[in-house]
Coordinates of all heavy atoms in Angstrom, one line a residue:
M20 N 103.4 102.5 66.9 CA 103.0 102.8 68.3 C 102.6 104.3 68.3 O 103.4 105.2 67.8 CB 104.1 102.5 69.2 CG 104.5 101.1 69.3 SD 103.3 100.1 70.3 CE 103.9 100.5 72.0
K21 N 101.5 104.6 69.0 CA 101.1 106.0 69.2 C 101.6 106.4 70.5 O 101.7 105.7 71.5 CB 99.6 106.1 69.0 CG 99.1 106.1 67.6 CD 97.7 106.6 67.6 CE 97.2 106.8 66.2 NZ 95.9 107.4 66.1
D22 N 101.8 107.7 70.6 CA 102.1 108.3 72.0 C 100.9 108.1 72.9 O 99.7 108.3 72.5 CB 102.4 109.8 71.8 CG 103.7 110.0 71.2 OD1 104.5 109.1 71.2 OD2 103.9 111.1 70.7
V23 N 101.1 107.8 74.1 CA 100.1 107.7 75.1 C 99.7 109.1 75.6 O 100.6 109.8 76.1 CB 100.5 106.8 76.3 CG1 99.4 106.8 77.3 CG2 100.8 105.4 75.8
K24 N 98.5 109.5 75.4 CA 98.1 110.8 75.8 C 97.4 110.7 77.2 O 96.5 110.0 77.4 CB 97.1 111.4 74.8 CG 97.7 111.7 73.5 CD 96.7 112.3 72.6 CE 97.4 112.7 71.2 NZ 96.4 113.2 70.3
L25 N 98.0 111.4 78.1 CA 97.5 111.4 79.5 C 96.7 112.7 79.7 O 97.2 113.8 79.6 CB 98.6 111.4 80.5 CG 99.3 110.0 80.5 CD1 100.5 110.1 81.5 CD2 98.4 108.9 80.9
D26 N 95.4 112.5 79.9 CA 94.5 113.7 80.2 C 94.5 113.9 81.7 O 94.0 113.1 82.4 CB 93.1 113.3 79.6 CG 92.2 114.5 79.8 OD1 92.6 115.5 80.5 OD2 91.1 114.5 79.2
P27 N 95.0 115.0 82.1 CA 95.1 115.3 83.5 C 93.7 115.5 84.2 O 93.6 115.4 85.4 CB 95.9 116.6 83.6 CG 95.7 117.2 82.3 CD 95.6 116.1 81.3
S28 N 92.7 115.7 83.4 CA 91.4 115.9 83.9 C 90.6 114.6 84.0 O 89.6 114.5 84.6 CB 90.5 116.9 83.1 OG 90.3 116.3 81.8
E29 N 91.3 113.6 83.4 CA 90.6 112.2 83.4 C 90.9 111.5 84.8 O 92.1 111.5 85.2 CB 91.2 111.4 82.3 CG 90.6 110.0 82.2 CD 89.6 110.0 81.0 OE1 89.4 111.0 80.3 OE2 89.1 108.9 80.7
E30 N 89.9 111.0 85.3 CA 90.1 110.2 86.6 C 90.6 108.8 86.3 O 90.3 108.2 85.4 CB 88.8 110.2 87.4 CG 88.4 111.5 87.9 CD 87.3 111.4 88.9 OE1 86.5 110.4 88.8 OE2 87.2 112.2 89.8
S31 N 91.5 108.4 87.2 CA 92.1 107.1 87.1 C 91.7 106.3 88.3 O 91.4 106.8 89.3 CB 93.6 107.1 86.9 OG 93.9 107.8 85.7
T32 N 91.8 105.0 88.2 CA 91.5 104.1 89.3 C 92.8 103.6 89.9 O 93.7 103.1 89.2 CB 90.7 102.9 88.9 OG1 89.5 103.4 88.2 CG2 90.3 102.1 90.0
Y33 N 93.0 103.8 91.2 CA 94.2 103.4 91.9 C 93.8 102.3 92.9 O 92.7 102.4 93.5 CB 94.8 104.5 92.6 CG 95.3 105.6 91.7 CD1 94.4 106.6 91.3 CD2 96.6 105.6 91.1 CE1 94.8 107.6 90.4 CE2 97.0 106.6 90.3 CZ 96.1 107.6 89.9 OH 96.5 108.5 89.0
E34 N 94.6 101.3 93.0 CA 94.3 100.2 93.9 C 95.5 100.0 94.8 O 96.7 100.0 94.5 CB 94.1 98.9 93.0 CG 93.7 97.7 93.8 CD 93.4 96.5 92.9 OE1 93.9 96.5 91.8 OE2 92.8 95.6 93.4
C35 N 95.1 99.7 96.1 CA 96.1 99.5 97.1 C 96.7 98.2 97.0 O 96.1 97.2 96.8 CB 95.4 99.6 98.5 SG 96.5 99.3 99.9
F36 N 98.1 98.1 97.0 CA 98.8 96.9 97.0 C 98.4 96.0 98.1 O 98.4 94.8 98.1 CB 100.3 97.1 97.0 CG 100.9 97.5 95.7 CD1 101.5 98.7 95.5 CD2 100.9 96.5 94.7 CE1 102.0 99.0 94.3 CE2 101.5 96.8 93.5 CZ 102.1 98.1 93.2
D37 N 98.2 96.6 99.3 CA 98.1 95.9 100.5 C 96.7 95.4 100.9 O 96.5 94.2 101.1 CB 98.6 96.8 101.6 CG 99.4 96.0 102.7 OD1 100.3 95.2 102.3 OD2 99.1 96.2 103.9
C38 N 95.7 96.3 100.9 CA 94.4 95.9 101.3 C 93.4 95.9 100.2 O 92.2 95.5 100.4 CB 93.9 96.8 102.4 SG 93.6 98.5 101.9
G39 N 93.8 96.4 99.0 CA 92.9 96.3 97.9 C 91.9 97.4 97.8 O 91.0 97.4 96.9
T40 N 92.0 98.4 98.6 CA 91.2 99.6 98.6 C 91.3 100.3 97.2 O 92.4 100.5 96.7 CB 91.5 100.6 99.7 OG1 91.2 100.0 100.9 CG2 90.8 101.9 99.5
V41 N 90.2 100.7 96.6 CA 90.2 101.3 95.3 C 89.9 102.8 95.5 O 88.9 103.1 96.1 CB 89.3 100.6 94.3 CG1 89.1 101.4 93.0 CG2 89.7 99.2 94.1
V42 N 90.7 103.6 94.9 CA 90.4 105.1 94.9 C 90.4 105.6 93.5 O 91.3 105.3 92.7 CB 91.6 105.8 95.7 CG1 91.4 107.3 95.6 CG2 91.6 105.4 97.1
V43 N 89.3 106.3 93.2 CA 89.2 106.9 91.8 C 89.5 108.4 92.0 O 88.9 109.1 92.7 CB 87.8 106.7 91.3 CG1 87.7 107.4 89.9 CG2 87.5 105.3 91.1
S44 N 90.6 108.8 91.3 CA 91.1 110.2 91.5 C 91.8 110.7 90.2 O 92.3 109.9 89.5 CB 92.0 110.3 92.7 OG 92.6 111.5 92.8
A45 N 91.7 112.0 90.0 CA 92.4 112.5 88.8 C 93.9 112.6 89.1 O 94.7 112.7 88.2 CB 91.8 113.9 88.5
T46 N 94.3 112.6 90.4 CA 95.7 112.7 90.8 C 96.0 111.5 91.6 O 95.2 110.9 92.3 CB 96.0 114.0 91.6 OG1 95.1 114.0 92.7 CG2 95.7 115.2 90.8
A47 N 97.2 111.0 91.5 CA 97.7 109.9 92.2 C 97.6 110.1 93.8 O 98.1 111.1 94.3 CB 99.1 109.5 91.9
P48 N 96.9 109.2 94.5 CA 96.7 109.4 95.9 C 98.0 109.1 96.6 O 98.2 109.7 97.7 CB 95.6 108.4 96.3 CG 95.6 107.4 95.2 CD 96.1 108.1 94.0
G49 N 98.9 108.3 96.0 CA 100.2 108.1 96.6 C 100.1 107.1 97.7 O 100.8 106.0 97.7
R50 N 99.3 107.3 98.7 CA 99.1 106.4 99.8 C 97.7 106.0 100.0 O 96.8 106.8 99.8 CB 99.6 107.1 101.1 CG 101.1 107.4 101.1 CD 101.9 106.2 101.5 NE 103.3 106.4 101.3 CZ 104.3 105.5 101.7 NH1 103.9 104.4 102.2 NH2 105.5 105.8 101.5
C51 N 97.5 104.7 100.4 CA 96.2 104.2 100.6 C 95.6 105.0 101.8 O 96.2 105.1 102.9 CB 96.3 102.7 100.9 SG 94.7 102.0 101.5
P52 N 94.3 105.5 101.7 CA 93.6 106.2 102.8 C 93.3 105.2 103.9 O 93.0 105.7 105.0 CB 92.4 106.8 102.1 CG 92.1 105.9 100.9 CD 93.5 105.4 100.4
S53 N 93.3 103.9 103.6 CA 92.9 103.0 104.7 C 94.1 102.5 105.5 O 94.0 102.4 106.7 CB 92.1 101.8 104.1 OG 90.9 102.2 103.5
C54 N 95.1 102.1 104.8 CA 96.3 101.5 105.5 C 97.6 102.2 105.2 O 98.6 101.9 105.9 CB 96.4 100.0 105.1 SG 96.9 99.8 103.4
G55 N 97.6 103.2 104.3 CA 98.9 103.9 104.1 C 99.9 103.2 103.2 O 101.0 103.7 103.1
A56 N 99.5 102.1 102.6 CA 100.4 101.4 101.7 C 100.5 102.1 100.4 O 99.7 103.0 100.1 CB 100.0 100.0 101.6
D57 N 101.5 101.7 99.6 CA 101.6 102.3 98.2 C 100.4 101.9 97.4 O 99.8 100.8 97.5 CB 102.8 101.8 97.5 CG 104.1 102.3 98.2 OD1 104.0 103.4 98.8 OD2 105.1 101.7 98.1
M58 N 100.0 102.7 96.5 CA 98.9 102.4 95.5 C 99.4 102.4 94.1 O 100.4 103.1 93.8 CB 97.8 103.5 95.7 CG 97.2 103.6 97.1 SD 95.7 104.4 97.2 CE 94.5 103.1 96.7
R59 N 98.7 101.7 93.3 CA 99.1 101.7 91.9 C 98.0 102.0 91.0 O 96.8 101.8 91.4 CB 99.7 100.3 91.5 CG 98.6 99.2 91.4 CD 99.2 97.9 90.8 NE 98.2 96.9 90.6 CZ 97.5 96.8 89.5 NH1 97.7 97.6 88.5 NH2 96.6 95.8 89.4
N60 N 98.3 102.6 89.8 CA 97.3 102.9 88.9 C 96.8 101.7 88.1 O 97.6 101.0 87.5 CB 97.8 103.9 87.9 CG 96.8 104.5 87.0 OD1 95.7 104.0 86.8 ND2 97.0 105.7 86.5
R61 N 95.6 101.4 88.2 CA 95.0 100.1 87.6 C 95.2 100.2 86.1 O 95.2 99.2 85.4 CB 93.6 100.0 87.9 CG 93.3 99.1 89.1 CD 91.8 98.9 89.2 NE 91.5 97.8 90.1 CZ 90.2 97.5 90.4 NH1 89.2 98.2 89.9 NH2 90.0 96.5 91.2
A62 N 95.2 101.4 85.5 CA 95.2 101.6 84.1 C 96.6 101.3 83.5 O 96.8 101.2 82.3 CB 94.8 103.0 83.7
T63 N 97.6 101.2 84.4 CA 98.9 101.0 84.0 C 99.2 99.5 84.0 O 99.2 98.8 85.0 CB 100.0 101.6 85.0 OG1 99.7 103.0 85.1 CG2 101.4 101.4 84.5
P64 N 99.4 98.9 82.8 CA 99.6 97.5 82.7 C 101.0 97.1 83.3 O 102.0 97.7 83.0 CB 99.6 97.2 81.2 CG 99.9 98.5 80.6 CD 99.4 99.6 81.5
L65 N 101.0 96.1 84.2 CA 102.2 95.7 84.8 C 102.9 94.5 84.1 O 104.0 94.3 84.2 CB 102.0 95.4 86.3 CG 101.5 96.5 87.2 CD1 101.3 96.0 88.6 CD2 102.5 97.6 87.2
E66 N 102.0 93.8 83.4 CA 102.5 92.6 82.7 C 103.3 93.0 81.4 O 102.8 93.8 80.7 CB 101.3 91.7 82.3 CG 100.7 91.1 83.5 CD 99.7 92.1 84.2 OE1 99.3 93.1 83.5 OE2 99.2 91.8 85.3
Ligands
ZN392 ZN1 95.4 99.8 101.7

């Protein structure tokens, strides 16, 4: 296993749990701009 390198300048895709709004940002938006729900990084595998 290799270390996962996180490039802070790299944009990630975040998806709202609640309404499905997608935000592309270099930093975690934290909250959905549409409904205020939590967002998750799509690049992070949950399975
Ligand atoms: Zn939302």
Side-chain angles (χ1 to χ4, degrees):
M20 296 284 278
K21 282 192 169 185
D22 289 340
V23 177
K24 291 182 180 176
L25 291 177
D26 184 349
S28 67
E29 184 105 355
E30 290 192 331
S31 297
T32 303
Y33 298 87
E34 184 175 19
C35 176
F36 277 115
D37 216 49
C38 69
T40 294
V41 172
V42 174
V43 179
S44 174
T46 57
R50 294 280 172 174
C51 173
S53 294
C54 71
D57 290 335
M58 303 196 77
R59 72 174 183 87
N60 191 336
R61 266 186 168 179
T63 304
L65 296 179
E66 293 81 13

